[in-house]
Amino acid sequence: MPKQTTASQRARKDARAGAKYTEALRARKAGLTIPAADGPHVVRFLAEHAGSLHHLVGGIAAACAHSGQRVLLLQEASDAWMWAMRPRRRGRPQPADATPPEPETKVLWAAPSDAPGRLVHHTCTWAELEPQPDNQRRGLPRYNRGQLHAALEAARADYDVIVLIPDRSWSYPDRELATAHIVLADVDDFPHTDCCNVMSGGREETGTPLSPEQSAAVLRDRCLRFLFFHHPAPPLTGVIWKTHGKPPVDAAYLAGIDDDMDRVGVPTLGWAPHNKGEEYKELPDLYQLQDTDFVRPYAPIATRMHEVLSARLAGSGQATTSRQACST
């Protein structure tokens, strides 16, 4: 009998704990973990260029909190201090020991005492550069991610949703930590025609219209292509489309795109317009996160995201119930 792989063994252990075996095996092969039925959702938003998407993430997190969920924004502190610890060339003085920034916790919004919803922002160092002997300094530096693991373990019992916000790249997922991966797709030019031809003597642009299914295929090729550079690509929970201006199509056309995304297994969690005045790599201001009028446009996305994430846990719970019934 062929020996089972480590991924298969861990997937069977997840199945005994209440998860679906096929979903657990797919996640284990990708280096991921399955969220426990009573644990929080650890959400990792993926984006090719995420400098302008902090505003969107903050609005969605605030909408989740206003709906009654306990949300933690776990943000990575700037790692500029680690550059001072890098070894220098011969003949130059060795760098002094750099001090990492201290962890900082701030309550951004909290519901009245009789409601559970709250939004908390925690900033800490995710990785520290491990010191190495002089004879072992060749190759890539080694990092210790113990603080990030400790922060997640400490927050699991107090929050329903934990959103990971890295300092630099948003394109590479933390496979060993995140339980849900959601793509933030920045749609610049909406693909509703195959080309644009400017007719002579007129200002109107013409082109062959694309069907919703064709438009969805173009969007996937443009906005999800960066994920294929990571092997294996993480299983996606869904995608949120961010458009610049109002889309040049009607609601029925967008619904057709959503249906095609459901067909390929990457459901659309919402369409978010670009807001003017968004600060680069900055979360919304404190007064915005507390303003119900500001949070209201993000509520449909937060509701849809909660439905999709809860459906995964509900499926795990149903699997546990059926196995318990069979055993009795």
Side-chain angles (χ1 to χ4, degrees):
M1 179 181 295
K3 186 177 180 180
Q4 289 184 340
T5 62
T6 304
S8 301
Q9 295 173 355
R10 293 178 177 176
R12 291 187 181 278
K13 183 178 180 181
D14 294 336
R16 288 193 296 269
K20 290 184 177 180
Y21 175 75
T22 55
E23 183 180 355
L25 181 60
R26 189 182 305 111
R28 286 297 184 177
K29 287 183 177 180
L32 302 171
T33 57
I34 290 294
D38 56 347
H41 301 288
V42 182
V43 181
R44 180 73 151 89
F45 289 101
L46 306 177
E48 186 174 9
H49 306 290
S52 61
L53 297 176
H54 285 72
H55 205 86
L56 176 58
V57 172
I60 296 173
C64 293
H66 282 254
S67 66
Q69 302 180 60
R70 301 169 299 170
V71 183
L72 174 65
L73 294 173
L74 184 54
Q75 187 168 7
E76 180 182 11
S78 176
D79 60 354
W81 64 276
M82 285 194 295
W83 288 91
M85 298 179 59
R86 294 181 179 272
R88 299 179 181 178
R89 297 179 181 178
R90 295 180 180 178
R92 296 185 179 182
Q94 292 295 326
D97 293 338
T99 304
E102 294 292 332
E104 182 180 357
T105 304
K106 182 186 301 183
V107 178
L108 303 180
W109 179 85
S113 57
D114 57 344
R118 70 176 184 267
L119 179 64
V120 180
H121 183 217
H122 180 74
T123 305
C124 65
T125 301
W126 284 15
E128 293 184 8
L129 186 64
E130 293 184 348
Q132 299 181 19
D134 295 338
N135 58 350
Q136 297 181 4
R137 287 185 174 179
R138 296 181 179 180
L140 297 176
R142 298 179 181 178
Y143 296 94
N144 181 8
R145 300 173 65 83
Q147 288 195 22
L148 176 59
H149 288 259
L152 276 175
E153 289 300 324
R156 289 186 182 276
D158 298 328
Y159 296 95
D160 304 315
V161 179
I162 302 175
V163 180
L164 301 177
I165 304 180
D167 180 54
R168 294 183 180 272
S169 175
W170 286 42
S171 61
Y172 190 79
D174 294 293
R175 301 178 186 276
E176 75 282 7
L177 299 177
T179 60
H181 295 88
I182 299 175
V183 177
L184 299 179
D186 196 358
V187 181
D188 188 7
D189 185 15
F190 196 94
H192 64 292
T193 58
D194 63 345
C195 61
C196 292
N197 301 321
V198 180
M199 303 299 294
S200 59
R203 298 181 179 179
E204 296 183 359
E205 297 181 354
T206 61
T208 304
L210 298 179
S211 65
E213 294 76 15
Q214 292 172 328
S215 181
V218 175
L219 287 173
R220 288 193 295 269
D221 180 69
R222 289 181 183 177
C223 301
L224 305 183
R225 186 186 306 171
F226 71 96
L227 294 173
F228 293 97
F229 291 96
H230 308 294
H231 302 285
L236 301 179
T237 306
V239 59
I240 299 173
W241 308 104
K242 182 178 181 181
T243 60
H244 293 254
K246 185 178 180 180
V249 294
D250 55 11
Y253 192 97
L254 296 179
I257 295 179
D258 297 344
D259 293 340
D260 193 71
M261 296 299 298
D262 291 337
R263 180 186 61 83
V264 299
V266 186
T268 295
L269 303 183
W271 295 84
H274 177 79
N275 295 324
K276 297 182 179 180
E278 297 180 1
E279 296 292 338
Y280 184 75
K281 296 186 66 173
E282 292 289 340
L283 294 171
D285 295 334
L286 184 61
Y287 75 91
Q288 291 178 318
L289 297 175
Q290 299 176 354
D291 186 7
T292 56
D293 292 335
F294 172 81
V295 174
R296 188 175 295 110
Y298 301 99
I301 300 177
T303 301
R304 175 60 175 161
M305 186 177 73
H306 178 69
E307 292 175 352
V308 173
L309 294 178
S310 299
R312 298 178 62 190
L313 296 185
S316 300
Q318 291 175 1
T320 304
T321 304
S322 61
R323 280 190 292 273
Q324 292 176 350
C326 293
S327 61
T328 56

